Each structure stands twice: as structure tokens, then as C-alpha cells.
Amino acid sequence: MNPHAPPRRPAAHTAGYSLPELLAVMVLIAILASLSFPRMTAWMTNMRVSGLKTEVVAELANARMEAVRSGSSVRFEIASDGRSYRVFRTPATAPSDTFKRFNLGTSYVGVTLAPANGAIVFNSRGMASTSGSVRVVKSNRTDTVNVSAIGRIY
């Protein structure tokens, strides 16, 4: 050892991960994401259908209550394209007779209501003069809201 040589510094300790370790983790994340994607899209479809079904049930209940409150018939009507509905007093004589218009738009992409041009009418006693059902449909998932002749919504 040379006494006049500059002192040696210890080798610098490098902290962190190596490139192969990072690549291995990224591959694992990609595999897990690809496995969960189908379940995620199915979950989103179920949530959209369930959400719209809940909204339809609430609107039918509101239509029934409004019919009893106002003492006149109230109609829940699905548009011909199945992408919107409206709730209005019948016979409609003024714009204020329409309580709600709802377009499914971007909130419920790919979800439709059936039957197209379908309607349920509640009379002043809250009974459905035209009982029936409303189906909420998206691809292979369908939920049904039924209305009995006595006005029960289920």
C-alpha cells in the first residue's frame, strides 16, 4: 500500500430497484388488469341497469302520488326510441302539466327502456288504469319494474 496515495472511499451503495425487477412488477400489474377488465365492465353494466331501475321506480311512485294529490290522472310515458320518458298530467292542457322529462343521454349509455311508446297511467285514487311493466335493458341484462292494477310498484 502506498502511503502517499489518496485514501480510498468505500464503494457507493446504490439504493432502488433494478430494471428487471421493475419490468416484472409491471408485467404482473398488466396481467391482473387484463383479468379484472371483463368483471369491471359487467359490474358497470349492472350498476347502470340497477340505477335506472331505481330511478324508474321512484318516478312511478311520484306519478302515483301526484295523481292522488292533484285529483287527476298522471301518465308515465316512454318515448318511441326507449331513450327517454316523461311524466305528465292527462289530459295535458298546459306546459306546467309535464312534471318531468328525462333523457337517458350520457348518464345511462347503452341502456334503454321498453316497451317503446309504453305508458302507465295512474288515476286520482292512485290505481293504475293501465297496469303493466317497464323493462330496463342493456345488452344481456334486463330488470323489470311491474305496476299492478291497484297501483303497487314492485
Side-chain angles (χ1 to χ4, degrees):
M1 210 161 138
N2 183 358
H4 300 294
R8 285 192 177 173
R9 290 188 296 185
H13 183 336
T14 57
Y17 299 102
S18 68
L19 183 59
E21 290 172 327
L22 290 174
L23 288 175
V25 169
M26 290 179 66
V27 166
L28 284 173
I29 290 172
I31 290 170
L32 290 174
S34 68
L35 292 175
S36 66
F37 184 73
R39 286 181 185 253
M40 188 65 145
T41 55
W43 177 79
M44 288 178 63
T45 296
N46 290 340
M47 293 311 296
R48 284 189 177 125
V49 171
S50 296
L52 184 56
K53 179 184 176 186
T54 300
E55 188 158 334
V56 167
V57 167
E59 286 305 323
L60 286 167
N62 286 339
R64 183 177 185 219
M65 287 187 294
E66 182 58 32
V68 172
R69 189 191 66 73
S70 67
S72 62
S73 294
V74 174
R75 182 179 179 101
F76 176 94
E77 183 177 78
I78 301 169
S80 61
D81 63 356
R83 296 285 303 143
S84 63
Y85 65 83
R86 69 183 184 133
V87 181
F88 59 98
R89 186 177 296 123
T90 59
T93 56
S96 62
D97 288 340
T98 298
F99 304 115
K100 183 168 187 173
R101 289 179 190 268
F102 186 76
N103 187 343
L104 305 183
T106 58
S107 299
Y108 299 102
V109 176
V111 182
T112 57
L113 296 173
N117 290 327
I120 295 175
V121 180
F122 293 99
N123 64 22
S124 61
R125 295 182 303 160
M127 300 178 88
S129 55
T130 54
S131 62
S133 64
V134 175
R135 289 186 315 279
V136 181
V137 182
K138 179 166 172 63
S139 57
N140 61 349
R141 169 88 193 267
T142 301
D143 272 1
T144 304
V145 178
N146 295 303
V147 180
S148 69
I150 60 170
R152 181 174 171 241
I153 302 163
Y154 58 98

